[in-house]
Amino acid sequence: MTVVEGNEQHSQVFRAQKSVGEVTTFEIVNIDSQIDQKTGQRVVLWSEIQKVFNGARLVQQNGIDVPFLADDANSPLVPLRIVYRVGAVMDVLIERPRRASSVTPSSNLSLPPSPRGSISRASISRASMSRKSISRASFSSTVESLIGGSNSGKLVVVYKELRDIVDSADGVFNEVEGVVTIKITSRTLAGQFYDALDGERNVRKLDVILDWDVTLDDLRKFAAAVTKAKIVDLTVDGMHYKGPGMDALNAVRRFDPILGLKANGHIQTLRIRNFHYFYYRVRSASLTAPAPQLQVLEIDCPIRELSESYRSALRRILDCSPSLKELKMHGGPLLASLDIVAEKIPKIPSFEALTLSSSSSHLSVKVTFSGSNVATMDASCRWLGSLSLEEQTFLELGHLTSMTLTSALEQRDDIAMTDTLRCNPKITLLRIPCITRRFVDVNRLVTSARARMLGLHIATALRKVEILEDESYNDGHGHYDIVTSIVEFEDNSDLPKTSVNVKMDIGILKDSREHFNEIFSQYGSSIQKLETDHTFNDEHAKCLDDATDKSGSRLVSLVVDSTSLTKSGLECVDRIVERSRNLEWFELKLDLNTKDQRENVEYLLSRLGTRLTGLSLRANDSSEGWSPMLRKLCPTRKTLPNLTSFRMSCACDIPSAGSEWITAMATPPPHQAGRLPPLWRSLSKIQLQHIRLQPEDWRTLIEEIDVTGLEELDVSNSNFSLEEFKTLADCIPDGIESVIVVPLKVLNLQDSTVAESEEVEAMQEVVTRMKTKKAPQLQILGLE
């Protein structure tokens, strides 16, 4: 089928199924579109479609109903019309006589004059129903409102029966999406499920596991039920199938009904998984049955060895699937599969992509074609050094245009990596996960391999290398160092442009930190985002200082933990920040426990306070040791004008002096009459963790917080009580009565005093006020 494109002719391609005896074909027609005078959009008139397709009642694209163009009140424009979609193929559903049924047929839900006459995912979405959970009562009422009439109750009864059967099998029935996922464990359950599925349904997608030793007759009944239900997207899994001895006579044709579904006139997407010896147990009749509507086919079935059965099956499937867009084959021979598809696709103009996966699952490729030639080949590989001979040979063909490793590149795989790059000069993009201590080596490996190719006058298309985090390398609690980079090359140049992001998070692994010296020395001027932890020391700071002094700083985000820094390291940080002209986020994490630490705080805040956007303070003792210094350094927000995030963690009682300073950080700076107000930014994030304040200090703090910019308030593990919760609710204006929109989204009360309160009704009343009148987007944590 050829779709006319271009500016001279704008015709939409429509097709309708046509059956003559046992032969099923498609009637394909181009209908001209026109400019709609009301909307300015290009449209196709419904009357023009009905002229061509007598009895047309519905238009779909990829199994989804195409709605009529409507006005702002969601009423269809007259005359009825649909929006023209460039390059799309529309399926026209024709009204045909049907047998009597207790289930309301979809023909009674005809579209004209309303585009919402059929029960589709679009129409139910317009009824504002939840996609993930929907009560039976609400679904029944919505269906009735959509289709009306006395027959609606019958349809809901059928849905209830199907839902009960799916629930009893621990399956999932998403009535809004029309999707059923179920594991059928016996012939009895299968019969019940097929009976419930019988007739006209909104079920369009079925994902089923056949979990018993099915016979040929069982599979025939399954195929008949799927066909009758007009499923368009089917996944069938035989992972538990072993093969009944009693059905041995039918072994060579046992899977005919499964493959035959591709030609049932409804299936557009078919996934066949985990049927052992699949290609040996299908006959030519099921392989060659015409499947003009099939668009996506996936066969994931183990193959013992390359055989003519596989080759022949693949050729015949392609010969009878003229509308196929995507083919996925797992477990088959890579080279043979690629050759066969390349041979056949000139006869399949709609074909878009081939996905092949090796039987070891170490290598997977997605291929697009230009004629019979490979246009692009994107490879995903697990371990380069562990590939089979067939997999290595496939990579040496030289077709790769991009490659992604799914496991960290180990040193033993370095030679395989360089050989792959040498054999595939068309690669433009390379993605490599990497553990932190290998970061410099991996970057050097790739850039030097590319440089050697250019030095030998070998053209290379490699333009981008992404070094990714290795998520498998962590301490089990989500803590691990992350160093990522993007390396970009200009044409015929071996000088890369590199951007690096670093996150130091040692957790409990206690890895050596020496490799960060080399990272900061080699790539310090290329780092855009840097977040350090308590292991960041003077030597690290000096390496970064020297690199940025030599080549400048590209930092846009910097988070510094000063725990392990002395005066020498602090001075390096001072110079680094001074060079970072494009710094958008600058946060300090500071300890207040010892005299030396407080001196570090005094140095950093006095030197860098005006650049700070985030401040995190930790203390283990009362405020007598640190509050006088902080009140002197930062008496008001004037000294920290750009601060938007403030965190205070102090596992002790804080007297009024310390509370007054915390309040000052959450309060707008004072404004003298007759002068311009000071420039400052409201706090969007306030975290007061583990602290204990007096009730009057809590009240003063809460009343002074500027809620106009506050998005997150965290008082976890504190003595924030129900009274403070009520005060907070009182201080936030009602959204209905006030022009101020409160942006508060997160309130963390975990392990706080209010979370342990037994005054459930009073607490629920405050929660209701907060969510309905104060901050409708609010999520409250800790009040399960």
Side-chain angles (χ1 to χ4, degrees):
M1 178 180 60
T2 302
V3 178
V4 180
E5 297 180 350
N7 295 324
E8 296 181 359
Q9 184 175 357
H10 297 274
S11 59
Q12 189 76 66
V13 180
F14 293 88
R15 65 182 180 183
Q17 182 176 304
K18 184 177 181 181
S19 298
V20 179
E22 296 183 354
V23 179
T24 300
T25 61
F26 275 84
E27 180 182 2
I28 300 176
V29 177
N30 289 281
I31 300 179
D32 291 340
S33 64
Q34 62 187 50
I35 298 296
D36 184 67
Q37 299 301 320
K38 292 184 179 180
T39 65
Q41 296 177 277
R42 187 166 287 279
V43 300
V44 179
L45 294 178
W46 176 247
S47 59
E48 295 297 319
I49 298 172
Q50 289 181 313
K51 287 179 183 177
V52 177
F53 299 99
N54 187 28
R57 65 176 182 84
L58 182 65
V59 173
Q60 295 182 333
Q61 182 185 0
N62 296 328
I64 306 300
D65 295 356
V66 177
F68 289 115
L69 197 60
D71 57 21
D72 294 338
N74 204 28
S75 297
L77 297 175
V78 179
L80 298 174
R81 65 206 80 172
I82 63 173
V83 176
Y84 167 74
R85 301 184 183 184
V86 179
V89 178
M90 304 287 191
D91 291 303
V92 182
L93 276 66
I94 305 297
E95 180 90 48
R96 291 189 177 92
R98 306 192 179 199
R99 63 178 177 82
S101 173
S102 61
V103 180
T104 303
S106 60
S107 59
N108 289 341
L109 313 179
S110 56
L111 281 173
S114 170
R116 295 176 291 176
S118 64
I119 302 175
S120 66
R121 73 182 71 178
S123 55
I124 295 179
S125 294
R126 283 194 294 267
S128 302
M129 297 176 66
S130 169
R131 287 179 172 267
K132 293 187 177 180
S133 68
I134 174 171
S135 69
R136 300 182 181 186
S138 63
F139 180 74
S140 299
S141 61
T142 304
V143 170
E144 188 168 351
S145 67
L146 289 171
I147 65 175
S150 60
N151 288 324
S152 61
K154 298 179 182 179
L155 186 58
V156 172
V157 168
V158 175
Y159 265 120
K160 181 178 182 298
E161 179 186 351
L162 179 59
R163 182 169 51 241
D164 290 343
I165 292 174
V166 173
D167 289 346
S168 69
D170 294 326
V172 177
F173 181 17
N174 186 327
E175 295 148 324
V176 175
E177 296 287 347
V179 179
V180 172
T181 301
I182 188 172
K183 180 178 181 181
I184 303 178
T185 56
S186 68
R187 188 172 290 110
T188 300
L189 177 60
Q192 294 172 350
F193 177 68
Y194 301 158
D195 288 342
L197 199 62
D198 181 24
E200 198 72 35
R201 291 292 177 278
N202 188 44
V203 177
R204 308 192 63 81
K205 183 176 180 180
L206 175 61
D207 189 338
V208 59
I209 296 175
L210 302 179
D211 189 17
W212 83 98
D213 280 344
V214 292
T215 64
L216 175 63
D217 186 57
D218 291 328
L219 292 179
R220 283 172 173 167
K221 292 177 180 178
F222 169 76
V226 168
T227 300
K228 186 177 292 187
K230 299 182 179 179
I231 303 295
V232 298
D233 188 323
L234 174 66
T235 299
V236 55
D237 193 322
M239 61 188 300
H240 299 284
Y241 169 80
K242 297 185 179 120
M246 60 180 291
D247 199 37
L249 293 176
N250 293 317
V252 296
R253 57 174 180 164
R254 182 169 297 134
F255 300 143
D256 281 356
I258 299 296
L259 188 59
L261 281 167
K262 66 183 175 60
N264 75 351
H266 306 296
I267 296 287
Q268 297 179 18
T269 298
L270 178 60
R271 305 175 192 87
I272 303 172
R273 295 174 179 167
N274 298 310
F275 285 93
H276 288 267
Y277 307 111
F278 180 80
Y279 300 99
Y280 298 93
R281 293 178 173 174
V282 289
R283 295 181 303 172
S284 60
S286 61
L287 289 167
T288 57
Q293 81 295 331
L294 186 66
Q295 299 180 15
V296 178
L297 176 63
E298 175 184 339
I299 302 180
D300 180 358
C301 297
I303 299 176
R304 289 186 303 173
E305 58 187 16
L306 177 60
S307 66
E308 187 55 36
S309 296
Y310 173 81
R311 295 174 184 270
S312 176
L314 183 54
R315 287 193 178 96
R316 294 183 180 187
I317 289 171
L318 292 172
D319 284 338
C320 67
S321 305
S323 301
L324 195 65
K325 293 182 178 180
E326 187 172 359
L327 176 64
K328 299 180 180 180
M329 307 292 288
H330 176 77
L334 299 173
L335 291 169
S337 301
L338 180 64
D339 290 343
I340 292 171
V341 173
E343 171 193 339
K344 294 294 183 180
I345 60 170
K347 299 179 181 179
I348 313 176
S350 60
F351 195 82
E352 296 175 357
L354 166 69
T355 301
L356 298 173
S357 300
S358 63
S359 56
S360 67
S361 299
H362 287 172
L363 179 63
S364 175
V365 295
K366 184 173 183 179
V367 189
T368 63
F369 295 86
S370 176
S372 298
N373 300 317
V374 173
T376 65
M377 181 180 289
D378 303 325
S380 176
C381 182
R382 193 172 183 183
W383 293 302
L384 269 177
S386 302
L387 297 181
S388 66
L389 180 60
E390 185 208 15
E391 292 166 334
Q392 293 177 23
T393 303
F394 189 82
L395 290 183
E396 291 172 359
L397 293 176
H399 293 315
L400 297 189
T401 53
S402 75
M403 185 171 188
T404 299
L405 300 186
T406 58
S407 295
L409 184 68
E410 299 290 347
Q411 186 174 357
R412 64 176 182 269
D413 298 334
D414 285 354
I415 295 177
M417 182 77 260
T418 56
D419 288 345
T420 300
L421 289 175
R422 177 178 51 80
C423 292
N424 292 274
K426 297 178 183 179
I427 288 181
T428 60
L429 173 62
L430 186 62
R431 297 186 179 96
I432 307 175
C434 176
I435 59 176
T436 305
R437 64 172 179 268
R438 286 264 298 156
F439 176 80
V440 173
D441 291 340
V442 171
N443 265 284
R444 188 181 292 129
L445 173 75
V446 175
T447 53
S448 60
R450 185 179 185 277
R452 283 196 299 271
M453 292 176 68
L454 292 175
L456 295 173
H457 303 289
I458 300 175
T460 173
L462 186 60
R463 295 294 179 267
K464 190 175 184 179
V465 179
E466 297 180 3
I467 307 298
L468 312 172
E469 65 177 285
D470 178 21
E471 297 181 356
S472 64
Y473 187 77
N474 61 72
D475 65 352
H477 301 279
H479 295 282
Y480 56 102
D481 299 323
I482 300 173
V483 182
T484 62
S485 71
I486 297 177
V487 183
E488 297 178 292
F489 299 94
E490 299 293 336
D491 292 347
N492 301 318
S493 171
D494 58 357
L495 298 177
K497 178 182 177 182
T498 305
S499 60
V500 180
N501 296 328
V502 178
K503 179 182 179 182
M504 301 174 66
D505 190 0
I506 192 172
I508 62 174
L509 294 177
K510 306 303 181 185
D511 282 353
S512 169
R513 319 304 277 163
E514 293 181 0
H515 56 274
F516 279 107
N517 293 335
E518 188 174 14
I519 292 174
F520 291 139
S521 295
Q522 295 288 327
Y523 298 97
S525 62
S526 299
I527 296 176
Q528 293 185 318
K529 295 181 180 180
L530 171 60
E531 181 177 346
T532 72
D533 64 2
H534 66 278
T535 65
F536 184 71
N537 57 35
D538 291 349
E539 192 173 357
H540 296 147
K542 186 179 186 306
C543 292
L544 185 59
D545 183 23
D546 292 343
T548 55
D549 181 43
K550 179 181 178 180
S551 304
S553 172
R554 295 176 60 193
L555 279 168
V556 295
S557 176
L558 176 62
V559 179
V560 176
D561 189 321
S562 68
T563 302
S564 300
L565 294 175
T566 66
K567 184 67 176 297
S568 173
L570 297 177
E571 291 174 349
C572 291
V573 171
D574 188 6
R575 290 190 292 268
I576 294 167
V577 173
E578 179 65 26
R579 298 186 191 107
S580 304
R581 303 298 183 183
N582 297 319
L583 200 59
E584 298 174 1
W585 181 263
F586 176 39
E587 180 179 350
L588 287 175
K589 296 181 177 181
L590 309 173
D591 283 332
L592 300 169
N593 296 313
T594 67
K595 180 180 178 181
D596 290 342
Q597 290 173 335
R598 288 193 286 270
E599 288 178 355
N600 291 347
V601 171
E602 185 173 3
Y603 176 84
L604 290 171
L605 291 183
S606 62
R607 298 281 299 176
L608 304 172
T610 57
R611 301 285 302 270
L612 279 182
T613 53
L615 178 61
S616 179
L617 300 172
R618 300 179 292 253
N620 294 328
D621 57 3
S622 62
S623 62
E624 282 82 359
W626 49 264
S627 65
M629 174 200 65
L630 291 176
R631 282 186 292 166
K632 180 181 178 181
L633 279 174
C634 312
T636 70
R637 282 292 309 281
K638 284 184 179 180
T639 54
L640 304 172
N642 292 304
L643 198 68
T644 60
S645 176
F646 175 73
R647 178 177 181 266
M648 183 77 190
S649 178
C650 183
C652 60
D653 294 323
I654 298 180
S656 296
S659 176
E660 289 174 2
W661 181 80
I662 295 174
T663 301
M665 293 301 97
T667 304
H671 175 213
Q672 295 182 1
R675 294 187 180 183
L676 292 174
L679 296 176
W680 75 293
R681 298 169 67 183
S682 297
L683 291 179
S684 61
K685 186 176 184 179
I686 300 176
Q687 295 177 295
L688 305 174
Q689 300 167 337
H690 299 278
I691 70 171
R692 293 193 293 273
L693 303 180
Q694 295 297 317
E696 58 272 18
D697 293 333
W698 270 119
R699 172 174 287 276
T700 301
L701 170 61
I702 294 169
E703 291 176 345
E704 293 297 329
I705 291 177
D706 178 21
V707 298
T708 61
L710 187 64
E711 296 182 5
E712 179 179 342
L713 177 61
D714 184 346
V715 289
S716 58
N717 296 282
S718 73
N719 66 339
F720 185 92
S721 69
L722 179 57
E723 290 304 314
E724 280 77 64
F725 194 17
K726 293 178 180 179
T727 301
L728 177 63
D730 292 339
C731 291
I732 297 178
D734 288 354
I736 299 176
E737 300 174 358
S738 173
V739 296
I740 300 174
V741 178
V742 178
L744 187 62
K745 297 178 181 178
V746 177
L747 176 60
N748 191 348
L749 304 176
Q750 290 181 338
D751 297 319
S752 64
T753 300
V754 66
E756 300 173 358
S757 174
E758 297 181 356
E759 300 180 55
V760 178
E761 293 185 2
M763 188 164 52
Q764 185 59 50
E765 187 273 333
V766 181
V767 170
T768 303
R769 285 177 60 203
M770 290 287 287
K771 289 189 174 183
T772 58
K773 296 184 178 181
K774 306 292 183 174
Q777 303 180 70
L778 181 62
Q779 179 185 11
I780 301 178
L781 306 178
L783 297 183
E784 292 84 2

